[in-house]
Amino acid sequence: MTLRPPQQMRGMSLKIRLKAFMLTPSSGYPLMNLIYEHWGHAPTSAYFLFITPVGFIGGSGTLLTYASQIAAFARDGGFPWHERVAYVHPRLNLPIYSLAILGIGTFLVLIIALSPAASSIIYSLSVVTSLVTFIVPIFFRIFAGDRWVPGPWNLGRWSIPIHIAAVVTQVYLIIMECFPTARAWTVETFNYNFALTLGAMLISCGLYCSVGRRNFKGLDHEALEAWRRHHAAYAE
């Protein structure tokens, strides 16, 4: 990796620097190049040594959140071998089997992502699927009416406007994430996110119609009421 020394960039505006490195990144990481050119070697190293553990901590929290969603879905009968997948270790208080499934799946996806073409699709697809995951409960919240039970902290009268703004923003981001990165796209540079997302949804619908509807029990209302009582007592 060849990086230009910071003194060669002195006298240039930040806008010119950003444009130069976005167009010709020498390392493949334009943000890293820009920080290096602006700060130099030692501050850049210290900066990335600081944010790397933060990324690992945030990634661990995200992994646990998605594993909990898998365990909750399995608890309601929506996952194969649901009794095992929904198991929560009594001492660790963690859904260890859903964590293992998610960890193995993540590792396999990262192996596939070693391909440059596949990596761009996978990383962008993760954004699209996350937005789809977020937009569904937000959309339902808008039309929930009196069925919505707010928690100890809520947005009050601003809840509906903020949720509407969130839905509009996420729809826009989903559409933009599915566009090719260049107008003159080729088979190699085409963005296949919409096709993969639609394919995953069709497969999920097919699995539900063929298998899931016989096992899926729906929301565990007893667990939901227990959660509501817990938060009501906490709020008091």
Side-chain angles (χ1 to χ4, degrees):
M1 180 176 66
T2 303
L3 294 175
R4 297 162 59 189
Q7 56 268 23
Q8 293 186 12
M9 297 295 291
R10 291 175 182 171
M12 298 175 62
S13 67
L14 181 61
K15 182 178 180 180
I16 296 176
R17 296 183 190 185
L18 180 60
K19 183 177 180 180
F21 286 107
M22 290 298 290
L23 292 176
T24 57
S26 56
S27 68
Y29 298 95
L31 177 61
M32 181 178 178
N33 282 6
L34 183 64
I35 294 175
Y36 181 90
E37 299 282 355
H38 191 67
W39 287 354
H41 178 73
T44 302
S45 300
Y47 173 73
F48 280 98
L49 284 174
F50 171 75
I51 66 171
T52 299
V54 175
F56 277 106
I57 294 172
S60 301
T62 302
L63 184 68
L64 180 58
T65 299
Y66 287 140
S68 300
Q69 290 180 341
I70 293 175
F73 188 54
R75 178 199 61 201
D76 297 335
F79 203 88
W81 309 291
H82 55 273
E83 293 182 357
R84 178 66 66 179
V85 177
Y87 173 76
V88 178
H89 194 280
R91 186 167 63 88
L92 299 177
N93 197 26
L94 293 174
I96 54 176
Y97 293 109
S98 60
L99 271 173
I101 292 172
L102 190 60
I104 294 172
T106 302
F107 179 74
L108 295 176
V109 169
L110 288 176
I111 292 178
I112 299 174
L114 293 175
S115 167
S119 63
S120 61
I121 296 174
I122 290 173
Y123 297 147
S124 183
L125 182 63
S126 65
V127 176
V128 174
T129 52
S130 297
L131 291 173
V132 172
T133 303
F134 297 150
I135 201 174
V136 172
I138 295 175
F139 181 81
F140 287 158
R141 162 66 187 99
I142 297 174
F143 300 99
D146 296 336
R147 293 175 296 172
W148 172 260
V149 179
W153 186 90
N154 58 83
L155 298 171
R157 63 178 181 176
W158 294 100
S159 176
I160 297 298
I162 290 176
H163 281 76
I164 292 175
V167 169
V168 173
T169 303
Q170 290 178 348
V171 168
Y172 170 77
L173 292 175
I174 290 172
I175 294 173
M176 296 306 296
E177 280 289 339
C178 291
F179 271 98
T181 56
R183 179 177 297 180
W185 53 268
T186 62
V187 175
E188 290 77 15
T189 61
F190 186 72
N191 194 332
Y192 295 94
N193 284 335
F194 76 95
L196 293 174
T197 303
L198 182 61
M201 290 182 177
L202 292 176
I203 292 173
S204 299
C205 291
L207 289 174
Y208 174 77
C209 293
S210 60
V211 179
R213 63 179 179 179
R214 295 196 297 267
N215 300 324
F216 185 60
K217 299 176 294 185
L219 183 63
D220 189 340
H221 291 280
E222 293 183 1
L224 178 61
E225 291 300 327
W227 178 85
R228 288 174 174 173
R229 289 193 298 269
H230 171 75
H231 281 279
Y234 178 80
E236 294 176 356

